[in-house]
Amino acid sequence: MATQFVNEESDFDFVFFPKIPEMRRRYLRDFHSNPSFKQNFMSTFMKVIERESEKLGVPVTKVVELSRLRVPLLIVRFESGLSMDIQFPDENYHAIRNTHLIKCYKKCDDRFTYLFLWLRNICDKLEIRNSKYGLLSSYHLLLLVVHFLQSEQALSPWPVLPVLAKSHNSLVSAEVKIDKVAEMIRDDSIDIEWTSHNKMSIGELIVRFIDYYYHFNAAKEAIYIEKGLALKRKQAFGDVRLQIIDPYSPSSVCRSPYATSAFFDAIRFIRGQFKQGRMIDSFPEVPEAARFKRETQFARWRTQMADKIVF
């Protein structure tokens, strides 16, 4: 909700963040070094949610405790259909930092919001956005849009967005203390001084976005949000994974080969449809999605979903 990129189908994502620094330090020490403490803490947390939700008249139908994930997670399903994910991250609090980063980019230019919302809708219609199945997440899509809009490799000579890590480093640097980041997320008055010389319409940007990623070679290039560039990577063979490096982690935020395959299958399909004059005025219903689903029904990234249990 902090970025306000929500729709009727959005899950709610939360991060457990003790506000008192000393209490947070002790919690992080015990939670990440003591498996028994972690298990008991998450179980107690789960019971509190169930109890308080019942009091509010919003009964919980299911809680899934995933304590062994890289970032431990509680998935809460409510009788109303609402879903809530609660993360228990390490001291880097990656999710808080990247939420703040996206919120700052959102303030720079409205076309970022419009392009992302278009892309998310298309990906949902094509059924390629579902991180629980190893497909694309909203954060992947946001960073793909950020890279396109801030990179002079994509939009020359005038990008739509700045490279915030360079232009507003004091706001988004990984060196900013997490308490300050949490404070800034709640502060809607923070202003980002930026005016783009790029005057392209959102329609033109959509076409250029598809064309840019159609020619993007994920086996040879990696996206660095902090640098505003796609740089040469060690060539990948076999299952190629998109390398998207945000400012807060040395490794890619996209770790699944299925997400990569699904994304580029969709890009090729959309470009082909555009060339035939389709998928231009059918938004947001996108009836052409039925054809894409037929064409990819036996793609490995789609069939692998049948082998997984998603809570």
Side-chain angles (χ1 to χ4, degrees), residues 8 21 36 39 70 72 75 77 81 100 104 160 162 164 176 191 214 216 222 249 253 271 273 278-279 291 296:
E8 294 178 354
S36 178
Q39 190 73 48
R70 185 176 57 86
I75 302 174
R77 303 281 190 238
H100 171 60
C104 287
V160 171
L164 286 176
V176 179
D191 186 41
Y214 177 81
F216 188 88
S249 174
V253 300
R271 189 172 187 267
Q273 293 293 294
R278 302 192 183 106
M279 288 186 77
R291 179 175 178 178
T296 60

Side-chain angles (χ1 to χ4, degrees), residues 15-25 27 93 96 178-180 182-183 186:
V15 175
F16 181 71
F17 180 74
K19 294 175 66 175
I20 301 172
E22 179 56 27
M23 184 182 296
R24 183 166 67 246
R25 186 189 66 78
Y27 153 75
Y93 284 99
I96 292 178
I178 192 61
D179 297 89
K180 179 64 175 177
E183 180 183 319
R186 296 192 298 270

Side-chain angles (χ1 to χ4, degrees), residues 6 25 50 68 111 160 172 191 205 235-236 243 271 277:
V6 295
R25 186 189 66 78
E50 290 176 324
R68 296 186 180 182
R111 288 171 291 179
V160 171
V172 302
D191 186 41
L205 289 171
Q235 188 161 349
Q243 292 270 293
R271 189 172 187 267

